[in-house]
């Protein structure tokens, strides 16, 4: 595993307290040929739900990078500039890794490629019609979702990872760790260059509805293709895991609502300890990365 360190010492800026972790770029380059299609707890719904999510990531991550690059040259803070470079490096590797997995699933007859093409058309339209400020706001909101999901997997429900096929566990753990590390980068760029709270709130409402719509549609599509549409047992189990008591979405509720607060910052949700534990467990990184300033 190759690593490049974006920042190895505390930042000498006034916002140093809001950048409490090192952001590292790591390559995975794993082979998923042996990964079963039902890689999550041997369950169709859970596996296909997260496979559908994976299908949106390569083009999604590229759009995140694009939106931050629109502002990159305006940033003079050397720490934030370094963090943007690390953010871009991490997201580029995520896109590549999920692409390897998605291609394999497409070869097995799941339409991860169609999901990706649909997302690509949507982002093409956004690039043509939305302002740079709006594109960055979209990214900030989507990054809050990835940060909440990462925190759920790493902190709130780490036993969930144990139910995954080992290669997929490594993939999602690595991705979740890096999403947690860079969760404030797009936000800090937005705050410095746009700083329009109401735009962010409006965008969050829209992005939430959009994600819910896409995820429902994509999960239904993959379940139909896999011949599992009428697998009531799997739907029940999966929906309980996502929406039931202690499920992923209810567990995110507080953090989600916090986003609408005027003084919100991603590092107010301080998950440095579970992040450090996850880095040791999944990446074998024993050096303290969750350093307090
Ligand atoms: Fe990512
Ligand atoms: Fe991200």
């Amino acid at each position: 595993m190759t690593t490049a360190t974006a920042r190895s010492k505390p930042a000498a800026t006034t916002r140093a307290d809001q950048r409490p972790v090192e952001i590292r770029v790591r390559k995975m380059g794993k082979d998923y040929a042996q990964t079963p299609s039902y890689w999550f707890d041997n369950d169709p719904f859970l596996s296909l739900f997260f496979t559908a999510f994976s299908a949106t990531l390569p083009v999604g991550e590229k759009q995140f990078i694009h939106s931050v690059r629109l502002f990159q040259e305006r940033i003079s803070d050397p720490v934030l500039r370094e963090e943007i470079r690390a953010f871009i490096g991490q997201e580029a590797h995520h896109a590549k890794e999920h692409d390897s997995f998605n291609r394999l699933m497409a070869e097995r007859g799941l339409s991860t490629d169609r999901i990706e093409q649909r997302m690509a058309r949507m982002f093409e339209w956004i690039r043509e019609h939305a302002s740079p400020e709006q594109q960055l706001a979209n990214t900030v909101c989507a990054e809050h979702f990835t940060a909440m999901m990462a925190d759920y997997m790493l902190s709130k429900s780490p036993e969930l990872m144990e139910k995954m096929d080992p290669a997929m566990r490594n993939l999602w753990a690595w991705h979740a760790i890096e999403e947690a590390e860079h969760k404030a980068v797009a936000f800090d760029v937005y705050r410095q260059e746009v700083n329009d709270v109401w735009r962010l709130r409006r965008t969050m409402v829209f992005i939430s509805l959009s994600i819910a719509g896409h995820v429902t549609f994509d999960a239904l599509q993959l379940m139909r293709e896999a011949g599992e549409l009428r697998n009531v047992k799997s739907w029940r189990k999966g929906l309980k895991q996502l929406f039931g008591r202690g499920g992923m979405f209810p567990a995110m509720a507080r953090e989600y609502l916090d986003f609408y607060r005027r003084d919100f910052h991603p590092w107010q949700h301080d998950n440095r300890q579970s992040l450090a534990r996850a880095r040791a467990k999944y990446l074998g990184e024993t050096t303290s990365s969750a350093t307090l300033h």
Side-chain angles (χ1 to χ4, degrees), residues 61 64 87 91 94 143 146 175 179 182:
E61 310 268 24
F64 298 167
F87 168 85
E91 298 292 40
H94 300 167
E143 283 286 283
T146 57
H175 197 164
E179 288 303 317
H182 73 227

Side-chain angles (χ1 to χ4, degrees), residues 4-7 23-26 65 68-69 72-73 75-93 178 182 185-186 189:
T5 300
R7 181 164 58 87
I23 303 172
R24 287 185 192 173
V25 182
R26 310 166 181 87
I65 293 171
V68 169
R69 277 204 174 126
Q72 192 175 11
E73 289 313 309
I75 303 293
S76 55
D77 177 346
V79 177
L80 188 51
R81 285 180 69 86
E82 274 302 302
E83 291 191 333
I84 290 170
R85 275 195 284 275
F87 168 85
I88 290 171
Q90 287 188 334
E91 298 292 40
H93 287 303
E178 296 197 349
H182 73 227
V185 176
V189 174

Side-chain angles (χ1 to χ4, degrees), residues 56-74:
T56 67
L57 289 172
V59 285
E61 310 268 24
K62 281 174 197 155
Q63 175 62 21
F64 298 167
I65 293 171
H66 169 76
S67 67
V68 169
R69 277 204 174 126
L70 291 170
F71 293 88
Q72 192 175 11
E73 289 313 309
R74 297 196 214 165

Side-chain angles (χ1 to χ4, degrees), residues 182-201:
H182 73 227
K183 67 180 176 178
V185 176
F187 186 94
D188 285 342
V189 174
Y190 184 86
R191 191 165 61 172
Q192 204 170 102
E193 294 300 319
V194 184
N195 203 23
D196 178 346
V197 176
W198 279 103
R199 180 196 287 274
L200 216 49
R201 288 170 177 162

